């Protein structure tokens, strides 16, 4: 049970934080309003005050989780000047290690499944993907200006392929696919950056 938040914004955030963690642990269709209220130390009526229906709180919790991940990643990336190092850091932050990042990946997988059958989830889903790909594109552009990435890259193509490789590898990690581990996933992504993006340094004669 968490300490009682003091303001409306605090209460709303506490509900969203509790909800997304419950979704990550149990699955979106196993979470009840009563479960959320219990974790928050409040009543079901309070949860319904901020989110009229179960679908409302579940949808908002999914978006909240993704937003928090973006905020955390943006803060860490800004501290790194070199674009190559910045992209490797972004990759590292995407690896589904045990803990919060793995839980966030659980949310992503469930968001995908919901977006397949619930069109109302798709706009936010596509916006999040666009933001992720824009982050990759901006890092690659930075690398081109710094001379660490090739100048002839198809930026949108790079972002699309890196996204697909990241998602595909993460799904295999999360579902326990043979031979796919967090370490193997990292090697695949780092190798993609090395082969596809990094500018060759002319040999000294």
């Amino acid at each position: 049970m968490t300490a009682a938040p003091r303001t409306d914004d605090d209460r709303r955030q506490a509900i969203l934080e509790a909800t997304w963690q419950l979704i990550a642990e149990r699955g979106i269709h196993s979470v009840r309003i009563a479960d959320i209220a219990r974790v928050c130390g409040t009543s079901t009526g309070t949860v319904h005050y901020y989110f009229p229906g179960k679908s409302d709180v579940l949808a908002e919790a999914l978006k909240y989780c993704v937003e928090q991940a973006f905020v955390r990643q943006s803060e860490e990336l800004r501290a790194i000047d070199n674009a190559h190092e910045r992209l490797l850091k972004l990759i590292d932050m995407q690896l589904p290690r045990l803990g919060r990042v793995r839980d966030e990946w659980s949310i992503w997988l469930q968001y995908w499944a919901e977006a397949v059958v619930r069109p109302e989830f798709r706009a936010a889903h596509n916006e999040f993907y666009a933001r992720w790909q824009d982050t990759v594109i901006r890092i690659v552009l930075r690398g081109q200006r710094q001379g660490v990435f090739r100048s002839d890259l198809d930026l949108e193509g790079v972002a699309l392929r890196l996204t697909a490789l990241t998602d595909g590898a993460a799904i295999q990690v999360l579902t326990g696919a043979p031979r796919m581990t967090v370490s193997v996933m990292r090697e695949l992504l780092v190798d993609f950056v090395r082969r596809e993006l990094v500018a060759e340094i002319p040999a000294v004669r």
Side-chain angles (χ1 to χ4, degrees), residues 3-200:
R6 296 181 179 181
T7 68
D8 277 354
D9 286 343
D10 289 340
R11 293 188 188 96
R12 189 177 189 279
Q13 182 171 333
I15 290 169
L16 293 176
E17 185 73 24
T19 303
W20 87 257
Q21 291 182 358
L22 285 169
I23 293 172
E25 294 168 7
R26 304 181 186 180
I28 190 169
H29 298 294
S30 298
V31 176
R32 304 174 303 164
I33 295 297
D35 300 324
I36 300 168
R38 187 179 304 111
V39 171
C40 293
T42 190
S43 66
T44 57
T46 299
V47 177
H48 283 301
Y49 172 78
Y50 294 98
F51 305 97
K54 179 180 175 180
S55 292
D56 299 309
V57 66
L58 294 179
E60 288 300 315
L62 293 173
K63 290 189 285 186
Y64 170 82
C65 170
V66 176
E67 288 285 356
Q68 293 300 304
F70 273 124
V71 170
R72 184 182 69 252
Q73 292 168 7
S74 296
E75 289 176 350
E76 294 195 37
L77 292 176
R78 277 197 295 268
I80 303 172
D81 179 65
N82 181 275
H84 188 188
E85 294 176 6
R86 185 178 287 199
L87 188 56
L88 294 181
K89 179 64 174 179
L90 179 62
I91 286 171
D92 191 64
M93 288 190 292
Q94 297 296 313
L95 299 176
R97 300 186 178 96
L98 288 176
R100 187 178 182 95
V101 176
R102 192 179 184 93
D103 290 344
E104 289 170 348
W105 269 107
S106 174
I107 293 295
W108 260 120
L109 264 64
Q110 296 181 68
Y111 212 138
W112 292 335
E114 291 301 302
V116 170
V117 296
R118 299 176 61 178
E120 65 270 24
F121 275 59
R122 294 175 189 172
H125 172 274
N126 292 335
E127 179 185 348
F128 292 142
Y129 255 103
R131 286 173 60 181
W132 154 257
Q133 292 180 348
D134 182 63
T135 297
V136 173
I137 288 172
R138 285 187 286 108
I139 293 174
V140 175
L141 278 170
R142 183 185 188 89
Q144 289 178 323
R145 291 194 297 268
Q146 294 176 340
V148 297
F149 291 150
R150 289 166 39 196
S151 61
D152 61 342
L153 295 170
D154 171 6
L155 299 179
E156 292 186 359
V158 166
L160 184 63
R161 285 182 288 145
L162 182 58
T163 299
L165 186 59
T166 302
D167 291 344
I171 290 170
Q172 292 183 60
V173 172
L174 291 166
T175 55
R179 299 195 300 175
M180 180 57 73
T181 64
V182 169
S183 295
V184 172
M185 176 179 171
R186 185 180 188 281
E187 289 174 8
L188 287 172
L189 298 176
V190 171
D191 185 60
F192 173 87
V193 172
R194 180 184 60 80
R195 288 185 295 103
E196 302 290 334
L197 277 71
V198 175
E200 293 186 4

